[in-house]
Amino acid sequence: MIRYDFEQKPEGGLSRITKPDSDCCLIVTGGDLAPAFAADFIRSRSYGRIIAADAGLRFLAQARILPDQIVGDFDTLEPEIFERFGRDDRIQRDIHKPEKDETDTELALMDALNAGFYRMDVLGALGGRIDHEMANIQLLYEYWKKGAFISLIDPQNRISMAWSGRLFRKDDQFGKYISFLPLTTKVSGITLRGFKYPLKKRDVEMGRSLLISNEIAEDTAEITYDGGEMIVIESCDKSFIRR
């Protein structure tokens, strides 16, 4: 993986770290963002575009990272930060009034998709206001239908859409545990292979905890099912948080 030295501050004191050969977009939004974890996470990855949504710009300003675009109503951001980035001609701006139909995070997802990115990592989408957190999780499905694969990431969790036939590699798992939660009333015919707790052709209704806290037991694990939609949550206990 490419690593970036944030101590080098070209371009007016800000580091532009995007790489045009990457097909993944990073979105930093204004939820509960652990700065040390976020900085380390970004250092270890390559992104073709970085979008700051509303108060997510605060972290980028502190980390001295130049975003490619800012989006939102910026009602939770300090005016001096908005003024500094809002007048920078190197940054695209998508400014909205607070009275709007979409959250700032969804606006950022829309902009990423319009820019041609179908893989997106989102930092700051979890924690903070639970209404925003739950809406962000539901957005995974909405943009999955549009062809986008989105990961919501914080120090303890990586949340994304599952699909029948999806493979999970032990050497790429985010944390010790892996859980599946239905997004539809029922998910039918679930089979788990390569997990500590296997399953065969089991129906699971929304609200059941059967698929919580599994573990990858082999080099590769697979989930298949016949109908319905699910999310997958890869997680670790708080004592193992990488900060």
Side-chain angles (χ1 to χ4, degrees):
M1 289 290 186
I2 300 171
R3 298 188 66 86
Y4 304 100
D5 182 5
F6 289 174
E7 296 307 313
Q8 297 177 2
K9 305 179 180 64
E11 304 194 60
L14 299 171
S15 299
R16 185 181 292 279
I17 64 172
T18 47
K19 299 293 181 181
D21 58 343
S22 173
D23 66 351
C24 188
C25 176
L26 173 68
I27 295 171
V28 183
T29 189
D32 188 8
L33 188 64
F37 164 81
D40 184 65
F41 182 87
I42 296 171
R43 286 190 187 104
S44 66
R45 285 155 177 83
S46 178
Y47 291 105
R49 190 173 186 84
I50 295 178
I51 300 176
D54 198 80
L57 186 57
R58 182 185 301 115
F59 164 75
L60 294 182
Q62 293 169 348
R64 307 193 70 81
I65 299 172
L66 183 70
D68 298 281
Q69 181 179 358
I70 60 175
V71 58
D73 53 32
F74 298 97
D75 60 344
T76 59
L77 183 71
E78 295 83 353
E80 58 271 20
I81 297 177
F82 175 72
E83 288 297 326
R84 178 187 177 192
F85 284 82
R87 63 172 180 263
D88 194 321
D89 291 336
R90 296 167 295 176
I91 301 172
Q92 295 183 17
R93 295 173 288 279
D94 184 13
I95 312 302
H96 294 257
K97 295 180 179 179
E99 298 80 13
K100 59 188 188 305
D101 293 333
E102 299 85 6
T103 64
D104 294 323
T105 301
E106 183 169 9
L107 290 172
L109 296 175
M110 293 169 60
D111 285 345
L113 201 62
N114 290 335
F117 289 90
Y118 287 84
R119 286 202 307 125
M120 308 169 202
D121 287 345
V122 186
L123 298 176
L126 305 172
R129 284 178 52 179
I130 195 168
D131 55 343
H132 279 271
E133 180 177 279
M134 294 185 69
N136 292 335
I137 292 171
Q138 291 183 341
L139 285 170
L140 294 174
Y141 178 56
E142 178 63 25
Y143 283 80
W144 171 253
K145 292 187 296 182
K146 301 177 188 293
F149 179 72
I150 300 168
S151 297
L152 310 180
I153 300 158
D154 73 3
Q156 282 187 264
N157 308 281
R158 180 169 65 185
I159 308 175
S160 59
M161 285 294 299
W163 62 85
S164 184
R166 183 172 176 184
L167 299 175
F168 300 90
R169 300 198 320 271
K170 193 173 183 64
D171 62 3
D172 187 49
Q173 65 187 96
F174 188 80
K176 178 181 179 181
Y177 303 107
I178 184 165
S179 302
F180 300 93
L181 288 174
L183 283 181
T184 48
T185 304
K186 182 173 74 173
V187 179
S188 60
I190 302 170
T191 297
L192 299 177
R193 302 182 184 89
F195 292 92
K196 182 177 181 180
Y197 306 108
L199 207 62
K200 185 173 182 180
K201 289 295 183 180
R202 183 75 175 268
D203 296 348
V204 176
E205 295 183 349
M206 182 181 290
R208 294 291 309 279
S209 60
L210 176 65
L211 302 175
I212 300 297
S213 294
N214 211 328
E215 299 177 30
I216 299 174
E218 301 178 11
D219 290 341
T220 302
E222 181 184 26
I223 181 171
T224 60
Y225 47 93
D226 298 329
E229 301 291 350
M230 287 194 291
I231 59 170
V232 55
I233 305 173
E234 303 166 76
S235 59
C236 64
D237 290 321
K238 196 169 185 178
S239 58
F240 291 96
I241 290 178
R242 292 165 291 177
R243 291 188 182 275

